[in-house]
Amino acid sequence: MKRGVWTAVTVLGLLLLGAALGLVLFNIRTDNAAAQSRDEILQELADVVQEEPAVVPEEPAAEPEEPDVQPGGMATVSIEGYAYMGTLLFPALNLELPVMATYALPNLQISPAVYHGTPAGKDLVICAHNYYSHFGRLNQLNPGDEVLLKTVDGKVYRYKVSVTEILDPSAVADVTGGEWPLTLFTCTISGLTRVVVRCDLQ
């Protein structure tokens, strides 16, 4: 009897270990795919939002896509059917991310997205999955760290991290209350709470 129990426990343990390993491998693969999407989108955004060219080409180049202006005055460009409003830069994390203009849960597998508000309205909220290549290191930001938002119409908003909070997922009003010019949030590893970073406009 004891031998049968021991065998059952061993088999169950191996199954759980296999499931945990499978989950880890799935998360790594998903994160790698998110990082690849991020890099491709950043390159396309860089092509659309061009700086002054170093050398004037002999023949006129194709005109870059003009940003569309969404309700609320936020300019966007379309890449592979998704509207992007700009990029977020975290110098302290050596990280740059594209930002979709509109939140939709499935789209967060590709890019962070605007959850609420606008930069001009000083009530911008951006969310993302906690992939290492997206907002997974948000909790490593410290008060005083700089966050830059570069919009597709050429504006640059400079923010400074003020405070980091851990909130309950139901605290939507606390996240979108409009008291901070920029709020960034993502799930914790457990998924039971949210890491929320509040930023002041410099």
Side-chain angles (χ1 to χ4, degrees):
M1 181 67 179
K2 287 184 178 179
R3 190 172 193 176
V5 171
W6 175 251
T7 302
V9 169
T10 302
V11 170
L12 180 60
L14 290 173
L15 288 174
L16 290 173
L17 187 61
L21 180 60
L23 183 60
V24 168
L25 292 175
F26 173 79
N27 288 338
I28 290 172
R29 188 174 60 203
T30 303
D31 200 317
N32 288 340
Q36 183 176 348
S37 293
R38 174 200 64 198
D39 295 342
E40 291 171 357
I41 294 162
L42 285 173
Q43 182 58 56
E44 292 197 44
L45 279 171
D47 292 342
V48 172
V49 186
Q50 296 180 4
E51 302 291 336
E52 285 286 325
V55 179
V56 177
E58 294 179 6
E59 297 180 6
E63 288 292 321
E65 180 183 344
E66 288 294 319
D68 294 324
V69 178
Q70 301 294 313
M74 197 161 55
T76 65
V77 295
S78 179
I79 296 175
E80 297 183 10
Y82 298 101
Y84 291 87
M85 55 82 67
T87 61
L88 266 179
L89 290 91
F90 301 92
L93 303 178
N94 192 27
L95 179 65
E96 183 176 9
L97 296 167
V99 181
M100 280 192 194
T102 307
Y103 166 80
L105 185 58
N107 298 350
L108 293 185
Q109 294 182 7
I110 303 168
S111 164
V114 172
Y115 186 78
H116 173 83
T118 64
K122 297 181 181 179
D123 61 349
L124 183 63
V125 180
I126 298 174
C127 64
H129 277 316
N130 62 0
Y131 303 146
Y132 184 84
S133 57
H134 285 182
F135 276 8
R137 293 182 286 155
L138 211 58
N139 62 348
Q140 295 178 18
L141 292 173
N142 296 307
D145 284 347
E146 191 174 43
V147 179
L148 302 177
L149 175 68
K150 295 183 177 181
T151 61
V152 295
D153 56 357
K155 296 185 177 75
V156 178
Y157 295 84
R158 295 180 180 273
Y159 301 93
K160 184 171 63 175
V161 174
S162 182
V163 66
T164 298
E165 302 174 294
I166 302 296
L167 296 179
D168 188 84
S170 63
V172 176
D174 292 337
V175 174
T176 62
E179 297 176 11
W180 297 90
L182 176 64
T183 296
L184 311 168
F185 76 94
T186 189
C187 297
T188 55
I189 296 295
S190 69
L192 300 176
T193 53
R194 304 288 181 263
V195 177
V196 182
V197 175
R198 310 288 198 174
C199 303
D200 280 313
L201 188 64
Q202 295 193 54

